[in-house]
């Protein structure tokens, strides 16, 4: 009777998960690592460093992979979206801006370009004040938020407060005041007797991009540097910029 040749079983791509135990501050997390390792070169490097020093790291509560400098709140929120991205497509519930800010912070830290884009889109669709847009945009390297914040300061009628000047800096304040004067003069000319001959294709948004070109380029360059593709995964060719970054 001929012998039966059996083929070795293969692992199901969707439901064969690797898990590891992580520690953020004083809290332990057991999380699937398939998506994390497949989408972040920086996260792979973090794992390699700890596993190189101790091959049993992450295999128990007594020997977790320690995430230095990562808050437990940020990591919990990040995992909520990362796990959904791998197994559900989208988070099962609507999440607020603070939640997405945590996701964006760690997406930047570990170079998760898809989660960065998702977080920026979710936050952009919410309500941010002018100064929140500028503050978060500078801190988390989102070029379009910074450009939008400066443009809103140019367009609004109210003068900047002392606190706002302290936050954006005197150099930025002087540029905004100069742009306000220029656009006020254009508006006055447009409403005067020579209005029919006055035409300027320059908008406040385009003027802001020109006046703050150096700062915006620096933010764009840092954002690009944060997003390092995993070897063998080309990802997105425009790694450092979010959708419609210049609108």
């Amino acid at each position: 009777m001929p012998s039966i040749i059996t083929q070795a079983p293969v692992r199901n791509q969707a439901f064969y998960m690797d898990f590891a135990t992580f520690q953020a501050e004083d809290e332990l997390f057991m999380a699937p690592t398939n998506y994390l390792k497949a989408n972040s070169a920086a996260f792979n490097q973090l794992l390699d460093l700890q596993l190189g020093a101790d091959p049993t790291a992450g295999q128990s509560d007594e020997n977790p992979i320690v995430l230095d400098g990562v808050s437990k709140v940020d990591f919990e929120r990040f995992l909520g979206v990362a796990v959904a991205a791998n197994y559900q497509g989208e988070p099962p519930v609507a999440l607020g801006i603070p939640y997405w800010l945590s996701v964006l912070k760690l997406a930047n830290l570990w170079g998760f370009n898809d989660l960065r884009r998702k977080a920026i889109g979710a936050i952009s669709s919410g309500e941010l004040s002018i100064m929140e847009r500028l503050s978060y945009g500078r801190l988390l390297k989102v070029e379009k938020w910074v450009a939008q914040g400066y443009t809103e300061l140019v367009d609004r009628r109210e003068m900047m407060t002392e606190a706002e000047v302290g936050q954006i800096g005197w150099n930025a304040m002087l540029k905004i005041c100069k742009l306000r004067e220029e656009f006020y003069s254009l508006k006055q000319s447009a409403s005067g007797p020579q209005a029919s001959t006055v035409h300027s294709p320059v908008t406040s948004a385009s003027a802001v991009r020109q006046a703050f070109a150096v700062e915006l380029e620096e933010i764009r360059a840092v954002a690009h540097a944060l997003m390092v593709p995993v070897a063998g995964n080309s990802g997105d060719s425009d790694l450092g910029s979010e959708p419609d970054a210049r609108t």
Side-chain angles (χ1 to χ4, degrees), residues 18-81:
D18 293 326
F19 283 83
T21 301
F22 298 91
Q23 180 177 342
E25 296 183 301
D26 60 352
E27 200 156 312
L28 297 173
F29 300 79
M30 180 174 280
T33 60
N34 302 57
Y35 172 84
L36 303 177
K37 291 188 290 187
N39 289 275
S40 169
F43 203 88
N44 272 308
Q45 185 178 38
L46 182 154
L47 294 178
D48 289 343
L49 285 173
Q50 297 222 16
L51 292 174
D54 181 358
T56 66
Q59 295 181 16
S60 68
D61 288 358
E62 292 70 35
N63 190 22
I65 294 170
V66 179
L67 303 174
D68 292 323
V70 175
S71 83
K72 56 189 177 184
V73 172
D74 286 346
F75 191 54
E76 180 178 1
R77 291 170 174 174
F78 174 83
L79 284 179
V81 175

Side-chain angles (χ1 to χ4, degrees), residues 183 186 199-204 206:
F183 278 92
L186 285 174
H199 174 72
S200 174
V202 180
T203 64
S204 55
S206 62

